Amino acid sequence: MTRQPPVHEPTTRRRQFPGRLPLPERAYITEALRTETVGGILLLVAAVIALVWANVWPGAYESVLDHTVGPSAPLHLDLTLGDWAKDGLLTIFFFVAGIELKREFVAGELRSPSAAVLPVIAAVCGVALPAALFALINSGSGGHPGGWAIPTATDIAFALGVLAVVGSHLPSALRAFLLTLAVVDDLIAILIIAVFYSSGIKFWALGLAFVGLALFWFLHRRGVHGWYLFVPLAFVIWALMHESGVHATVAGVAMGLMLRCHREGDEEHSPGEHIEHLVRPLSAGLAVPVFALFAAGVTISGPALREVFTQATPLGIVLGLLVGKTVGIFGGTWLVARFTRAELNPQLKWADMFAVAVLAGIGFTVSLLISELAFPGDLALADRSKTAVLVGSLLCAVVATVLLKLRNRHYRALCEEEDRDTDGDGVPDIYQPDDPAWQARVAELAPRPGSEQPHPGNDRPHPGGDRPAPGHDRPAPGHDRPHPGNDRPHPGNDRPSAGPAAGPGAAR
């Protein structure tokens, strides 16, 4: 009887993270991150200008910040420039965040539960741990537990601006992981603002805002176009939300979530993607930098910096950003890999994930916003909280830069491999290794044996090619001078030979 070989049960393939993105998703994220990188640099510049302005000309800074603009009736829109930046311009930022969130759930990394579990758990841990750490530090006398949400945010634009300034080559998989993490983080921040920092609700205004949102959704779903219709409607919705007592930025998120972000028919881009493409530069290039200009202007002095590390509230913010966010995100990522069938991308190390976790500790825009919302009646405490946000974000940026620079050569090699396009068709080679047409094009470009096409690296003549071989570029010994007797005519050669025809040796 012939013995049958043992039958092995098929094993489920482990999912790698961060994995390679599909080509359309890679193109979308590359464009989005390029815009956010430029916005991040502008954000850094605006923060520096605000600090210089507030410390060199504090009176002028405060007078501009407190200048009131807008009508007082009927919806109390007589706001200071600082409030317009905080409640108005940041609504554009949260509108883009709402579109990003919707797109991630219907067409991006979060559409698959198995792919979404890692960034969601990492983001939740990255919010819970810094909040718990802040609450623990502020649990004693002199603490202010109400600021627990300040160190929970991640600022993707600031992080990308840091990467651009230090010249780090972060692979697209890590950038995509950071972006998805920030999107989930923004969702949590939105819920925190809506639930914990809304007060004195006016239900008539909130109800009218919901009616406006329903009209916004209906017109969009019916395919109605025209900025001249949607922009005024969006402003009315925002004004009603502001009047209702719910933070006005929630209106931006709600409108972003209502846009259709999946493609239908032969659409090249969904309406949500198209609108995001138009609005993102306005958000990253104007709204967020102007907010930073009006929010980051805090007094920097020796006593102020000393208070950051000696008082409970600012110390909780610094440790929450640097330690809480890092340990929370990295620990959540490790736990998912440990207890699920996910495994780290073999091209990366856990040190890379730790560096990204530190980078995610940069919590600038939303942290500054929550600093103002958490302590509305104590401007001095709000300023100390903002100083702590700046210090904590700066420490995270410095530590992340050092960690990323240690691996920058490896990152550069990965980026070059990702971008290599041998046949010049606009599609990177890593997406076509099994495509017969691509293989044929590459084979045509490869040099054939015996062909005149130079071998790669042989862009200079080969010995024995178009220049003589060594030793052949000059006559052989004795041939570099005339032979004895050859420097004068041979006897008989200085006159024509006899006969009618000239034979060999005749004068030429």
Side-chain angles (χ1 to χ4, degrees), residues 189-500:
I190 292 162
L191 295 176
I192 290 174
I193 292 172
V195 174
F196 295 98
Y197 296 106
S198 298
S199 60
I201 305 299
K202 299 179 181 178
F203 289 100
W204 68 267
L206 185 60
L208 290 178
F210 283 150
V211 171
L213 288 172
L215 180 59
F216 184 95
W217 176 86
F218 176 78
L219 293 175
H220 176 68
R221 291 293 174 171
R222 296 290 293 180
V224 177
H225 301 284
W227 64 268
Y228 49 84
L229 178 64
F230 283 97
V231 170
L233 178 60
F235 181 81
V236 171
I237 294 171
W238 171 86
L240 289 168
M241 192 70 71
H242 181 271
E243 179 69 13
S244 72
V246 177
H247 199 268
T249 55
V250 175
V253 178
M255 287 184 282
L257 289 172
M258 288 182 175
L259 298 182
R260 178 170 63 82
C261 293
H262 62 275
R263 303 173 188 178
E264 295 181 350
D266 57 351
E267 288 182 337
E268 185 177 354
H269 301 288
S270 67
E273 291 173 330
H274 176 67
I275 294 173
E276 181 187 9
H277 176 74
L278 297 177
V279 179
R280 183 185 289 275
L282 180 63
S283 170
L286 177 65
V288 176
V290 171
F291 168 76
L293 181 66
F294 288 126
V298 295
T299 302
I300 301 297
S301 62
L305 293 176
R306 191 180 308 113
E307 290 175 350
V308 169
F309 297 99
T310 57
Q311 294 188 2
T313 299
L315 181 61
I317 294 172
V318 172
L319 293 181
L321 292 173
L322 182 60
V323 179
K325 293 289 288 186
T326 301
V327 176
I329 293 173
F330 180 80
T333 304
W334 184 86
L335 287 174
V336 171
R338 175 67 178 81
F339 294 104
T340 67
R341 301 200 63 81
E343 65 177 2
L344 185 65
N345 189 321
Q347 294 181 319
L348 301 173
K349 296 182 178 180
W350 280 107
D352 302 318
M353 302 304 298
F354 185 82
V356 171
V358 177
L359 189 66
I362 298 176
F364 190 77
T365 303
V366 177
S367 293
L368 291 178
L369 173 63
I370 298 178
S371 296
E372 296 186 1
L373 298 178
F375 309 115
D378 193 340
L379 297 181
L381 183 57
D383 283 346
R384 286 198 297 272
S385 300
K386 291 181 181 180
T387 303
V389 170
L390 296 177
V391 172
S393 298
L394 179 62
L395 291 175
C396 289
V398 171
V399 175
T401 297
V402 173
L403 296 176
L404 293 172
K405 278 295 186 181
L406 294 176
R407 296 272 291 166
N408 201 40
R409 181 177 298 178
H410 178 64
Y411 296 155
R412 184 184 293 111
L414 291 180
C415 290
E416 290 175 353
E417 180 182 357
E418 291 175 357
D419 297 334
R420 185 176 297 116
D421 185 11
T422 304
D423 58 345
D425 63 346
V427 180
D429 294 348
I430 58 174
Y431 290 95
Q432 307 180 88
D434 300 326
D435 184 0
W438 175 81
Q439 295 173 357
R441 291 194 299 270
V442 172
E444 290 178 359
L445 295 173
R448 295 180 175 81
S451 65
E452 296 182 0
Q453 181 178 358
H455 192 275
N458 289 356
D459 52 349
R460 57 181 182 276
H462 191 280
D466 57 351
R467 61 179 173 81
H472 290 179
D473 55 348
R474 60 181 183 274
H479 288 182
D480 56 348
R481 59 182 182 276
H483 192 275
N486 285 353
D487 55 351
R488 59 182 181 275
H490 193 275
N493 282 355
D494 56 350
R495 60 183 181 275
S497 58

Side-chain angles (χ1 to χ4, degrees), residues 13-259:
R13 184 178 180 181
R14 296 176 66 89
R15 184 179 58 84
Q16 294 182 358
F17 74 91
R20 181 183 301 163
L21 298 172
L23 187 58
E25 184 74 6
R26 182 178 186 265
Y28 166 82
I29 288 182
T30 299
E31 180 184 357
L33 293 180
R34 186 182 298 113
T35 304
E36 291 292 345
T37 300
V38 175
I41 296 175
L42 294 176
L43 180 63
L44 292 173
V45 172
V48 171
I49 293 175
L51 289 173
V52 172
W53 190 2
N55 286 271
V56 177
W57 301 285
Y61 183 79
E62 292 295 334
S63 63
V64 172
L65 193 64
D66 295 334
H67 183 68
T68 301
V69 177
S72 59
L75 296 176
H76 304 94
L77 296 180
D78 50 338
L79 307 176
T80 65
L81 290 180
D83 287 336
W84 275 110
K86 176 182 66 177
D87 298 339
L89 289 179
L90 275 193
T91 301
I92 302 175
F93 165 79
F94 280 104
F95 175 69
V96 175
I99 300 175
E100 287 179 336
L101 184 63
K102 178 69 172 291
R103 188 189 177 280
E104 285 292 329
F105 276 111
V106 302
E109 287 293 294
L110 300 180
R111 71 184 185 278
S112 169
S114 61
V117 63
L118 191 144
V120 168
I121 291 180
V124 170
C125 293
V127 169
L129 194 58
L133 186 59
F134 179 94
L136 179 64
I137 295 174
N138 285 266
S139 59
S141 60
H144 297 83
W148 61 270
I150 297 174
T152 61
T154 293
D155 195 318
I156 182 66
F158 200 115
L160 293 174
V162 170
L163 292 177
V165 170
V166 302
S168 176
H169 296 76
L170 202 62
S172 61
L174 286 178
R175 289 177 181 264
F177 173 76
L178 183 62
L179 178 62
T180 306
L181 183 75
V183 169
V184 179
D185 192 276
D186 286 341
L187 171 62
I188 299 174
I190 292 162
L191 295 176
I192 290 174
I193 292 172
V195 174
F196 295 98
Y197 296 106
S198 298
S199 60
I201 305 299
K202 299 179 181 178
F203 289 100
W204 68 267
L206 185 60
L208 290 178
F210 283 150
V211 171
L213 288 172
L215 180 59
F216 184 95
W217 176 86
F218 176 78
L219 293 175
H220 176 68
R221 291 293 174 171
R222 296 290 293 180
V224 177
H225 301 284
W227 64 268
Y228 49 84
L229 178 64
F230 283 97
V231 170
L233 178 60
F235 181 81
V236 171
I237 294 171
W238 171 86
L240 289 168
M241 192 70 71
H242 181 271
E243 179 69 13
S244 72
V246 177
H247 199 268
T249 55
V250 175
V253 178
M255 287 184 282
L257 289 172
M258 288 182 175
L259 298 182

